[in-house]
Amino acid sequence: MDKNTDRVNVNLDQQYWTERYDNEEVGWDIGYVSPPLSTYIDQVEDKNLKILIPGAGNSYEAEYIWKAGFKNVYVIDISKPPLTNLADRVTDFPKDKLIHGDFFDLNEKFDLVLEQTFFCALHPQERVAYIKKMYSLLNPTGKLVGVLFNIPLFDDHPPFGGHVSDYKLLFSKFFKLEIIEECYNSIPQRAGNEVFIKAAPLKL
């Protein structure tokens, strides 16, 4: 699949995100693993799953699942500082699984991809490209699991919001939506504004 298909140039590049970290403009960072994801992770039994967390930021999710015994965990972020932050917090996390790069350049296969504030960081015009790339990264029996905002938010800068009806239309072209519903365990500040998604790639 052509990684450039459906992509747009909106200047949300490495420099943009690194400046956000340098200036501590990280309002998406709640400082710990998102409860909807920790709840999901707690019921996953297969510790051998190959897991990807894209656009991971400071990646408390990666820290959580690593400490829970999942050892085949990969993190990718276009900005270096959050990867360094994770490495400093979790000193035994393998450095070769901390990927400094563009999600759209990644060419591997995974059993599980965890979505947490990455989708909303991409310009809405890149959502088709995101879904196609996500489809290409998952094994046939793989899952995409995570949280999406169900609120308008901003039009001119991240985080970009959206609506569950739009997500259903977008994802259903490449995924079977096993769950897409309002989160019951969001943090208080996001209560009612998040949807939990669990999706499996279709056989196209």
Side-chain angles (χ1 to χ4, degrees):
M1 184 179 297
D2 184 352
K3 67 182 176 65
N4 293 314
T5 301
D6 302 310
R7 295 206 67 188
V8 295
N9 181 12
V10 289
N11 297 319
L12 300 177
D13 55 11
Q14 177 178 334
Q15 180 180 348
Y16 172 86
W17 289 108
T18 298
E19 288 178 356
R20 291 285 298 261
Y21 282 100
D22 289 345
N23 296 328
E24 298 184 356
E25 297 173 355
V26 290
W28 63 85
D29 189 324
I30 64 175
Y32 53 90
V33 62
S34 170
L37 284 181
S38 63
T39 300
Y40 175 79
I41 292 162
D42 288 345
Q43 56 83 47
V44 176
E45 296 180 353
D46 187 356
K47 299 295 178 69
N48 296 313
L49 292 177
K50 186 177 180 182
I51 302 172
L52 173 69
I53 306 176
N58 286 319
S59 202
Y60 304 103
E61 286 70 30
E63 178 179 1
Y64 186 85
I65 60 180
W66 176 259
K67 290 181 177 178
F70 295 86
K71 299 305 181 185
N72 201 10
V73 183
Y74 292 77
V75 173
I76 184 168
D77 203 289
I78 199 169
S79 180
K80 187 72 172 179
L83 298 173
T84 301
N85 293 340
L86 175 60
D88 290 343
R89 289 198 325 269
V90 188
T91 56
D92 60 339
F93 195 97
K95 301 302 184 287
D96 62 341
K97 293 181 179 178
L98 293 172
I99 305 169
H100 179 213
D102 190 328
F103 164 80
F104 291 97
D105 292 334
L106 192 60
N107 289 300
E108 292 195 46
K109 291 288 185 180
F110 299 90
D111 302 307
L112 175 63
V113 179
L114 295 178
E115 164 61 50
Q116 174 64 23
T117 70
F118 177 51
F119 182 85
C120 70
L122 297 171
H123 192 280
Q125 292 182 42
E126 291 209 287
R127 289 179 175 175
V128 171
Y130 166 101
I131 290 167
K132 289 181 177 180
K133 184 63 180 181
M134 195 66 73
Y135 180 87
S136 75
L137 291 172
L138 281 167
N139 287 319
T141 59
K143 303 288 184 185
L144 166 63
V145 174
V147 177
L148 305 175
F149 282 119
N150 191 32
I151 187 174
L153 293 174
F154 303 104
D155 294 324
D156 59 345
H157 65 83
F160 300 99
H163 191 271
V164 66
S165 60
D166 297 326
Y167 302 152
K168 288 179 178 179
L169 181 63
L170 283 168
F171 280 92
S172 63
K173 297 176 182 179
F174 288 86
F175 288 90
K176 177 185 178 182
L177 292 167
E178 298 179 356
I179 301 173
I180 183 164
E181 60 189 30
E182 183 178 315
C183 293
Y184 68 88
N185 55 352
S186 298
I187 62 173
Q189 303 94 309
R190 297 178 183 174
N193 295 329
E194 293 182 317
V195 291
F196 183 82
I197 182 173
K198 181 182 180 185
L202 294 171
K203 294 181 180 179
L204 300 180

